[in-house]
Amino acid sequence: MKKLLASYGRDDEFRAVAEQIIEEEEGKNNKVLARTLRRTLEHGAARGDKARTLAPLIPFPHAASDFVERVEPEHTKGDLILSPRNAGVFAGLLQEYRRSDDIRRHGLPVRSKLLFCGPPGCGKTLCAEVFAAELGLPLFVVKLDSLISSYLGETASNVRKIFEFAQKQPCVLFLDEFDALARSRDDTGEHNELRRVVNSLLLFIDRIQPRGFLVAATNLDQSLDPAIWRRFDEVVWFDKPDRRMAERYLAMKFKNVSVAFEPRSVAASVDGFSYAEIERVCIQAIKAAIIGRRKQTTLDDFRAAVSDEKRRRSGNDRLSNAI
Ligand SMILES: Nc1ncnc2c1ncn2[C@@H]1O[C@H](COP(=O)(O)OP(=O)(O)OP(=O)(O)O)[C@@H](O)[C@H]1O
Ligand SMILES: [Mg+2]
C-alpha cells in the first residue's frame, strides 16, 4: 500500500504496484477481490482520463463505523439466480451506470436509488453484494436498527456524514432491513421522536444524488408506505423461485457434488420454499452422505432433508401465530 501511494502521479509505476497487489490477492485465493481490482484498474486505464483515474479515495468517516460496515464481496454473478426480468433490470442499470457521465451531460438523471422488496431468503442481500462486485464499487452496509437508535442519541451528524460520503465516493450504500424504518413510520403516539428521526432520514434519502448506488432492502411489500416507494428510482422484486428457477438452483447447488439422482427432477418437492430454505435442504442432504460415509448423496438423503425443513417451517408458523 505504501508503494502504491508513493507512486501517485507516475502511471507506469502505479500500474506495476497495482498488478503486484492483485497478484498477491490471487495468491491468497481472494479471487473476487482480485477480479474486482483488476476490472477497476482496466476500467480506469481504458478511460484514459488521468484526472479521473487518479481521483482520490475518500476516507470513510470513522465516527460512523458503529453502524456502517465495509463488506468485501464473497460471491460472484455465478452464485446468484435471477429471474429473466430481474436480469434485464440489472443489465440496464449497469449499462446506465457505465454511461452515467454522458447521460448527465444531456441533463438527464441516472437511476441510482433502488428498493429491493421480497420475502426473506430470496436474494436481496446477496444481489446487493454481487451488484457491487459487478460494478467494481466498494459495498458499505448500513445497519438501520443501530443507526436509528444512535440517531436518537447524540450522533445525528454521523448520519449526515454517511450520506455526504456516498455523495462523493462512488460506492454501493446498502440500507439493509429497511423494514425497521418503514415500521417506525407506522408507529403512532409516544414514538413521536422516532418518527421525526425517520422522517429526517427519508429526507436525506430524498436529497442524496449518490455517485454510485443507494440500495434499500425490505421484506414488507404492499404495506410499504407510498411516501417510501416514491423516493426510489427503481423497485426490484425478489420472489420465491418458481419450478424452473428451483430446477436451476438445485442444479447449481449440486454442481460439484456426486449425487445419485437428477437434481432438477426433485424441484417439485421444494415448491413454495425460498432459496435460503432450498439451500439449507441441499446442505443437510450433502452432510447426511458425509456423516454416513457415503460417496454419493442419495434421493433418500434429499427427501429426509426436505421433510426436516418442512418440520422447521411448521415450527416457524406456530411461532408467528403465537406472536
Ligand atoms: N436468488 C438467489 N440466488 C442464489 N442464492 C440465493 C438467492 N436468494 C437467496 N439465496 C441463498 O440464500 C441466502 C440468503 O439470501 P439473502 O440473504 O440474499 O436473502 P434476503 O432476501 O436478503 O433475506 P432477508 O429478507 O431475510 O434479509 C444467500 O446467502 C444464498 O445462499
Ligand atoms: Mg437480507
Side-chain angles (χ1 to χ4, degrees), residues 121 123-126 174 176-177 217 219:
K124 299 181 293 297
T125 303
L126 177 65
F174 184 45
D176 210 354
E177 291 154 34
N219 50 40

Side-chain angles (χ1 to χ4, degrees), residues 86-145:
N86 282 358
V89 172
F90 284 106
L93 288 167
L94 276 165
Q95 277 173 347
E96 196 167 316
Y97 176 73
R98 289 190 178 130
R99 301 292 306 277
S100 53
D101 288 351
D102 287 345
I103 294 172
R104 288 206 179 95
R105 217 169 293 133
H106 282 82
L108 297 170
V110 175
R111 286 176 298 167
S112 58
K113 294 183 227 177
L114 319 177
L115 181 62
F116 290 1
C117 296
C122 288
K124 299 181 293 297
T125 303
L126 177 65
C127 184
E129 185 190 324
V130 171
F131 188 53
E134 280 296 298
L135 290 160
L137 292 178
L139 173 66
F140 292 95
V141 178
V142 181
K143 301 271 176 239
L144 269 179
D145 267 344

Side-chain angles (χ1 to χ4, degrees), residues 258 285-298 301:
S258 171
I286 296 166
K287 281 202 303 202
I290 296 172
I291 292 166
R293 296 181 191 281
R294 279 176 279 107
K295 290 226 164 60
Q296 276 196 321
T297 303
T298 63
D301 292 329

Side-chain angles (χ1 to χ4, degrees), residues 200-273:
S200 70
L201 262 174
L202 288 177
L203 209 66
F204 270 121
I205 295 177
D206 234 359
R207 291 201 187 130
I208 190 179
Q209 278 309 323
R211 284 287 302 276
F213 288 89
L214 175 94
V215 180
T218 171
N219 50 40
L220 297 178
D221 41 50
Q222 311 301 355
S223 58
L224 211 63
D225 189 336
I228 294 180
W229 285 95
R230 65 175 174 76
R231 292 182 154 87
F232 293 89
D233 304 321
E234 193 63 72
V235 179
V236 189
W237 291 92
F238 289 79
D239 295 313
K240 287 186 178 183
D242 59 17
R243 187 72 63 79
R244 281 185 55 192
M245 303 280 280
E247 286 175 2
R248 277 172 60 193
Y249 192 56
L250 286 162
M252 184 177 104
K253 285 287 142 188
F254 286 114
K255 195 172 56 191
N256 300 318
V257 184
S258 171
V259 269
F261 58 94
E262 164 52 40
R264 287 175 187 267
S265 71
V266 294
S269 61
V270 291
D271 270 351
F273 283 31

